[in-house]
Amino acid sequence: MSILHEVAEKLISKATAKGADEVEFYGLERRLIELSISNNKVDKITERTIITYGVRAAINKRIGSCSSEDLSSGGIDRIVERVISLAKVSREDRFWSGFARGYSRGLEVRVFDEKLAEISHEELVELVDSAMKLSISSAEKHGASESTVVRGGISIAINEILIANSYNEEISGKTTAFNLYYSVKSIRNGRESTFNAILTRRNLNEKELMNYNALIEPIIHLACCTSDARLLYSPRYEQEKREVFIYWEANKNKYLFHPNKEEFILKATKTTQMLLRWIDGVP
């Protein structure tokens, strides 16, 4: 039995014993893994677990609700006392028909990745190290004399959600989320540029992560130096097209744009046009 199930069972039982006609429990257990990057190295890894829960109780069509992070026996007792007190002093809802019953999942969506949920710190460091090396290699292969992952990190969230009521019904689920972000600073022919890599996923696909880095780095670095779209890789997914263009629109001023230099403005415009042609698949 999970911690959420234990808390739900205790809370519902105690609230019912204190006079609640109906009780509904909501719980979230979130495990967060965070890794930070600084100057081509993994700086540190932290991991923590946060559990929050809430309860609603109904007494004669009067509703009380409150939430807490206190998992101790005394903390659960205090929440029960509070929710019962709030219900007793609340205004009666004459249209109250009771809490929801007959829980159903409806449309199933894959939002949990067991591999991601079970990843070790060592595996995570290895994955990040491979991604950084590939980004640096890609930049140098396309003319950068020096490249550095100056800052960034990875955050992973593994969530368990539980909803239960005093009718012995419950529904639960798990979700995962993976966020990668880092900034690569490169120098080519004395000119400096910075690229921000961002990747957000529900599941961990190492091949996709490597492909993403291999794709995005040459595009941005070449975009700063040429207007020939034929030098760029062909897009494989619609998501890649969107991410490249959204990134470029948000960051093009960092590359070749300068308000007082017309040639930089012209190059930025040409590069944007080149990226649009690439996105459309026209060299």
Side-chain angles (χ1 to χ4, degrees), residues 5-6 22 39 46 77-78 85 94 98 103 109 146 176 180 184 202 218 228-229 231 235 244 264 283:
H5 282 85
E6 291 180 8
E22 296 179 285
N39 294 324
T46 60
D77 288 341
R78 285 189 289 272
S85 298
R94 62 191 182 91
Y103 293 151
V109 179
E146 181 183 340
T176 51
L180 165 70
V184 182
R202 284 287 186 182
D228 189 350
L231 295 177
V244 170
F264 280 8

Side-chain angles (χ1 to χ4, degrees), residues 7-156:
V7 174
E9 186 177 286
K10 291 178 182 179
L11 200 150
I12 291 172
S13 176
K14 289 176 181 289
T16 302
K18 289 286 185 178
D21 300 325
E22 296 179 285
V23 185
E24 192 168 58
F25 171 89
Y26 299 84
L28 170 63
E29 179 177 352
R30 167 167 287 191
R31 184 161 64 94
L32 298 171
I33 304 172
E34 296 176 316
L35 178 151
S36 60
I37 301 168
S38 178
N39 294 324
N40 292 342
K41 294 182 180 179
V42 173
D43 189 19
K44 63 179 180 179
I45 300 179
T46 60
E47 183 172 336
R48 56 198 172 101
T49 299
I50 303 170
I51 297 178
T52 57
Y53 63 92
V55 61
R56 296 198 299 166
I59 302 176
N60 296 326
K61 295 189 175 185
R62 300 175 188 272
I63 315 302
S65 64
C66 56
S67 61
S68 176
E69 295 182 3
D70 191 341
L71 302 175
S72 67
S73 179
I76 293 175
D77 288 341
R78 285 189 289 272
I79 286 297
V80 170
E81 292 291 342
R82 186 178 180 187
V83 75
I84 294 297
S85 298
L86 289 171
K88 288 180 177 179
V89 299
S90 296
R91 180 179 298 178
E92 182 178 315
D93 182 354
R94 62 191 182 91
F95 298 107
W96 177 252
S97 59
F99 292 129
R101 299 179 66 177
Y103 293 151
S104 173
R105 292 185 180 278
L107 179 64
E108 290 281 359
V109 179
R110 185 173 180 270
V111 293
F112 179 75
D113 180 16
E114 188 173 346
K115 182 178 180 181
L116 183 58
E118 295 179 355
I119 192 169
S120 67
H121 290 187
E122 292 76 15
E123 290 172 324
L124 189 57
V125 170
E126 185 177 341
L127 179 66
V128 172
D129 189 53
S130 297
M132 288 193 297
K133 287 179 178 177
L134 184 56
S135 293
I136 293 170
S137 174
S138 295
E140 292 177 348
K141 184 170 61 178
H142 289 86
S145 58
E146 181 183 340
S147 292
T148 305
V149 180
V150 291
R151 62 184 176 276
I154 280 181
S155 64
I156 296 174

